[in-house]
Amino acid sequence: MGELDFSNSSTGSAELIGYCDDILVNILVRLPGKSLLRFRNVSRQWFSLISSPYFSRCLGQSSVFPSAIFLRMRNKLKYHFLPLDTNPVQGPTIRSFNFVDDSAGIRLLQSCNGLLLCCSNNRIGEYNRNYYIYNPTTNQYTTLPKPGNRTPSPNTIFGVILAFDPSKSVHFKVVFVRSSETTSHLYQLEIYSSETHLWSFSSHIPKVKNFGQGVYCSGAIHWIMNNSRSLLCFDVHLERFREIPLPNIPDDWDRELKCRYFGECGGRLHLILTSCKHSTKQFDVYEMKNDYSGWLTKYKVDLNALTSTYPEMTRSHSHPSDWDYHAFRVLAIVVHEESKQGPSPSSFIVLHIPGKAITYSFKDKTSTLLHDFAPGCSDIEGCTTFEWDDAYPYVTTLAIV
């Protein structure tokens, strides 16, 4: 093949990009997932490139921030889907998961870097329940195989966590926390690997208050311990445990702690703790240091101005000293790269206040309405209510499941 002459030609520049996969990848990873799905039809080269594990890893490295959230509606198998842009959502936002014909319905358990862990909604016989890994960007799913020749008693699964990091591997693991067959006072981990398609038993684990609220971040699963003074951290690759102290808290809080939020964004672990003894419009957002040596106070939040904008946040029938005197719930924290000048303008917290979902900028201290669930609602009672564990981030990924 002769050399191509690209000099002084915009067409030639376009052809150069077309022939250079690295340049093409660098451009394509910046596009929305829906556009990428359409662009796979441009040519065989583009289909092969966009569908490759290499492109999936590149996309995972460049697109780890949520562009929307699913909000679970209580007592229903339906979810609000809210894009996290600056425009309030107009029209219907409610969705159901029907990617597979499951007579019991599909329940969302966890979101992890673009993949969703789902299960059948049947409540009888945990081991008879189907578990699914679903990619909402590509609408592909896989059903987890049942564990091998196990003979557990019914209803022995206490938590199921998906571990997936597209920047490191195209494969995922699913960790089941279940009762031990040998030790009554401990639980045991059973792990499925998509790479080997096999189940294996791992370590025994102390009994923690709520294994259903584990957070995967930086290769490890984290749970808040029963005493609320430390995290239990499980390295999924090494299959090792360690405890990590929680941030230092004021002495007058004693043991009366409330976890307002515990989650991950962009490979960073975030935590919000407040006291059950005090009403609070002011709180700190803690972030785990990269070397896991401790916590730093990432942001100081003061919602005083917000309560003036949204007076319905104040519970008129409560006492100002009550911890829930101000009606709000933290649904998500979105943190982008920052400079020495302070928080990025695109870093924000997502709050649910009576009848509404809003964003609150860490830098500008301004709020933006995402969605009004109940126009005219003036009190949190009677309005749709969400907690932080009802929110599931949506991240674009083309990972093959």
Side-chain angles (χ1 to χ4, degrees), residues 233-252:
C233 176
F234 176 69
D235 187 305
V236 177
H237 177 67
L238 299 177
E239 298 190 14
R240 293 178 182 173
F241 289 101
R242 61 171 168 163
E243 288 190 29
I244 302 173
L246 292 183
N248 292 327
I249 59 173
D251 293 337
D252 63 343

Side-chain angles (χ1 to χ4, degrees), residues 285 299 301 333-335 343 347-349 360-365:
V285 176
Y299 305 106
V301 179
I333 292 175
V334 179
V335 176
S347 295
F348 54 87
I349 189 170
Y360 182 77
S361 169
F362 291 120
K363 182 178 180 64
D364 302 331
K365 314 301 181 186

